[in-house]
Amino acid sequence: MELEHVLARLADGARQTLQADAAAVRLLDEEGTRLTVAAASGLSATFQQQEPVAVERSPLDEQVLSGRPMIIVDAHSDPRAVNLPGDCRSVLCVPLTHVGDPVGTLHVYAWASRRFGEEDIASLMPLADLGAAAIAAVRALSTLEALDASKAHFIRVATHELRSPVAVAQSLVRTVLKGYAGELIDQQSEVFSRISRRLDFLESLINDRLDLAAGKAPELAET
């Protein structure tokens, strides 16, 4: 599942759970110093495209990231009410936390003042906890997929680099076996034949690795 889809579902779910006018998910960057509106429900595209904001310049988020849900009863008189939608009068903000680490914040907005209470916090926190776990899971999966892609790239490069010297060695051995470098005694011929068979096996292994990197099922090489 794509992270964008998870975040959109989280914003929609928060809005519907509290029957609010809008909701937004703000995610922390890797340094934990800036917040970005990563998804929104019931808000304009302009609001969703706003520039990331430093945590220290968003007092509401800064408090919530410490692990404490917050309610603004009237945005027109609360100094913490910054970076909010223009029509917003009341806000409920809860932390998105996974295994004790802050991931971001979940905002729910209402156009009327004094819209949210403690019971709304109790209703929203389970969704926030589930959303934070889903975000962490999707990110972990993306990391694993990137690691797999890196490993596959390494295998392709390494096997391509191996293929050329093996092919050259096999060509030279076959040249010797055909007598172009002089006649071989039986013992010499047997040794070079064994080398040739081992090079064939090694070449087969290299081809199998390339097939694996390309997502194909390799054929079993015979020793």
Side-chain angles (χ1 to χ4, degrees):
M1 184 180 293
E2 296 289 338
L3 181 59
E4 291 79 4
H5 180 65
V6 170
L7 297 173
R9 291 284 299 273
L10 178 56
D12 286 337
R15 181 186 181 191
Q16 294 171 14
T17 296
L18 300 188
Q19 295 297 298
D21 293 303
V25 179
R26 297 172 185 257
L27 291 185
L28 278 171
D29 61 9
E30 292 183 358
E31 291 75 25
T33 60
R34 299 175 72 82
L35 285 161
T36 300
V37 177
S41 177
L43 294 170
S44 67
T46 301
F47 180 83
Q48 297 182 53
Q49 294 167 2
Q50 64 181 265
E51 292 295 319
V53 61
V55 172
E56 60 190 22
R57 297 185 62 183
S58 184
L60 177 61
D61 290 295
E62 188 173 27
Q63 291 184 35
V64 171
L65 286 170
S66 67
R68 196 169 40 138
M70 301 294 294
I71 295 174
I72 290 180
V73 297
D74 190 347
H76 289 184
S77 60
D78 196 316
R80 299 170 301 173
V82 296
N83 303 310
L84 302 180
D87 295 330
C88 177
R89 288 295 300 274
S90 52
V91 186
L92 168 57
C93 185
V94 299
L96 296 171
T97 306
H98 180 66
V99 197
D101 295 325
V103 175
T105 56
L106 177 59
H107 289 227
V108 183
Y109 307 112
W111 308 152
S113 61
R114 303 182 182 279
R115 171 65 174 74
F116 305 112
E118 294 296 325
E119 68 279 3
D120 295 311
I121 294 177
S123 298
L124 193 59
M125 280 306 301
L127 178 63
D129 291 340
L130 181 61
I135 292 168
V138 171
R139 284 176 168 174
L141 180 60
S142 297
T143 300
L144 288 174
E145 289 175 344
L147 180 60
D148 285 343
S150 178
K151 289 167 61 178
H153 176 71
F154 173 79
I155 290 173
R156 286 195 299 271
V157 172
T159 49
H160 274 296
E161 291 297 320
L162 285 172
R163 173 184 272 179
S164 180
V166 169
V168 170
Q170 181 67 285
S171 177
L172 291 174
V173 169
R174 287 173 177 167
T175 297
V176 173
L177 284 171
K178 290 178 180 178
Y180 295 125
E183 187 176 351
L184 300 176
I185 64 175
D186 291 344
Q187 188 176 7
Q188 292 172 329
S189 180
E190 176 61 24
V191 170
F192 276 98
S193 294
R194 289 181 180 179
I195 293 173
S196 180
R197 288 195 295 271
R198 298 310 297 174
L199 288 172
D200 281 339
F201 178 67
L202 182 56
E203 187 175 23
S204 179
L205 286 178
I206 292 171
N207 290 333
D208 285 349
R209 296 303 178 272
L210 287 173
D211 287 341
L212 283 171
K216 300 177 183 179
E219 297 181 359
L220 294 177
E222 296 182 1
T223 57

